[in-house]
Amino acid sequence: METSIFATSLTIIISTLLVLGLCTAVVYFLFLYQKKKFRHQQELIEMREQFNHVLLQSRLAIQEQTLDHISKELHANFSHLVSLININLQEILPQAPANQRENILETKSLAKQLMSELKALSANLNTDHIIHIGFVKALENELNRLAKTKKYEVVITKAGEEYRILPEHEIILFRLCQEVLNNTVKYAKASEVTASINFSKEQFVLIITDNGTGFNVQDALENSGDKQSTGLLNMHKRASLINAELIITSRNGGGTVVLITIPQPQILKSIQE
């Protein structure tokens, strides 16, 4: 009788251990499966992000090539046509009646102004030129173009020892600033634009502000797809390419502040003032 009870107890214990072992094995394999599944999902996410990163870089490279082509066309063809217009006006001027000479002189002045604007625009579209003069000078030129329109009071300030960063980063940063200023011109109805640059080894900080009408940033981001406008999204994508943090602060009637921060910038060289 005792032997039978012992055998039954032993059977129960062994069965329980087998069931526990089986459950443990199932849980372990489920854990491995979930871990492998999670790792696979992470790899897919990383691959997708890497693909989007490469795709964005390729798209920006194509844009730069297109802008370079437009720059050369402006310089070679349109500038040449404006020069011919100026020459023709100069030849017409001595033969024109006295009451028309003032209009011809005004047209010559406008043609000269157009030539200056074409040269400035061509330079700002040319990647090699921007790399040659550097981001700061390119931004100053862009702000000076705004000032020349007589519609904006423009101020630029710099703090710290000025330096150059990677050329490809300067190009992306400049295109980002162009988009900011373009939005200011198109939508802000501003009269003042300020740019402040702070150079330090720990971080590069650029702040662009305007006193315009402002807008709701969150609404603009959420409705960008509906309005078929991806400007803000593109700005954030450009910033991510150079490991920059982009913060846009604005409110209706309160102007706009764009803060661009690059932590630990890759400094190429310092520029002595």
Side-chain angles (χ1 to χ4, degrees):
M1 184 70 178
E2 291 181 357
T3 304
S4 177
I5 294 173
F6 176 77
T8 302
S9 300
L10 184 62
T11 301
I12 292 172
I13 292 172
I14 293 173
S15 299
T16 303
L17 290 174
L18 287 173
V19 170
L20 289 174
L22 181 61
C23 291
T24 303
V26 170
V27 170
Y28 177 72
F29 283 114
L30 283 174
F31 171 76
L32 288 180
Y33 171 76
Q34 289 296 331
K35 185 177 180 181
K36 185 175 181 180
K37 182 180 178 181
F38 176 76
R39 188 186 302 123
H40 179 65
Q41 289 175 339
Q42 289 296 113
E43 289 175 353
L44 286 177
I45 292 172
E46 290 175 3
M47 288 175 62
R48 191 179 297 113
E49 289 179 349
Q50 186 177 6
F51 172 76
N52 290 334
H53 185 82
V54 173
L55 186 64
L56 180 59
Q57 284 183 318
S58 300
R59 191 177 71 181
L60 292 178
I62 293 171
Q63 287 179 354
E64 288 301 324
Q65 291 175 2
T66 304
L67 291 175
D68 276 343
H69 177 72
I70 294 172
S71 170
K72 291 179 174 64
E73 287 296 314
L74 285 173
H75 187 268
N77 296 326
F78 287 89
S79 296
H80 178 65
L81 289 174
V82 175
S83 296
L84 291 177
I85 291 171
N86 223 351
I87 291 171
N88 287 340
L89 289 172
Q90 184 64 38
E91 292 179 354
I92 292 172
L93 185 60
Q95 306 168 15
N99 60 346
Q100 294 182 4
R101 289 184 180 179
E102 185 175 347
N103 289 336
I104 294 174
L105 288 171
E106 178 64 20
T107 304
K108 277 177 59 63
S109 176
L110 290 173
K112 184 178 180 181
Q113 183 179 344
L114 176 59
M115 174 69 82
S116 176
E117 287 295 317
L118 283 173
K119 287 183 177 179
L121 180 59
S122 174
N124 284 342
L125 294 177
N126 188 286
T127 303
D128 292 336
H129 177 74
I130 296 168
I131 291 175
H132 175 68
I133 65 175
F135 164 75
V136 174
K137 183 61 178 177
L139 179 60
E140 287 176 343
N141 290 344
E142 196 74 3
L143 290 169
N144 288 335
R145 286 183 63 221
L146 285 184
K148 286 179 182 178
T149 64
K150 309 292 185 183
K151 295 180 181 179
Y152 305 95
E153 181 180 343
V154 176
V155 177
I156 182 169
T157 61
K158 293 179 284 185
E161 184 179 350
E162 184 178 335
Y163 52 69
R164 296 285 303 270
I165 58 177
L166 295 176
E168 57 269 28
H169 287 195
E170 288 194 329
I171 291 296
I172 293 173
L173 184 60
F174 178 67
R175 297 302 181 209
L176 177 55
C177 291
Q178 279 186 312
E179 195 149 9
V180 172
L181 295 175
N182 184 52
N183 288 340
T184 299
V185 172
K186 288 174 65 176
Y187 307 115
K189 298 179 182 178
S191 60
E192 298 176 5
V193 178
T194 65
S196 173
I197 308 175
N198 186 284
F199 297 91
S200 75
K201 294 180 180 179
E202 289 73 27
Q203 61 180 8
F204 170 93
V205 179
L206 169 64
I207 304 174
I208 299 177
T209 65
D210 67 61
N211 66 340
T213 56
F215 65 102
N216 188 304
V217 179
Q218 191 59 37
D219 285 350
L221 284 170
E222 291 176 355
N223 299 326
S224 60
D226 296 336
K227 295 181 179 179
Q228 296 183 339
S229 174
T230 57
L232 291 179
L233 295 176
N234 286 338
M235 287 165 62
H236 282 282
K237 288 178 180 178
R238 285 181 186 270
S240 67
L241 285 176
I242 56 175
N243 298 319
E245 181 183 16
L246 172 66
I247 299 176
I248 302 175
T249 306
S250 184
R251 58 184 176 85
N252 292 324
T256 301
V257 179
V258 179
L259 171 64
I260 303 170
T261 305
I262 305 177
Q264 301 297 326
Q266 300 184 49
I267 301 173
L268 286 185
K269 62 177 181 178
S270 297
I271 299 175
Q272 300 297 331
E273 299 294 340

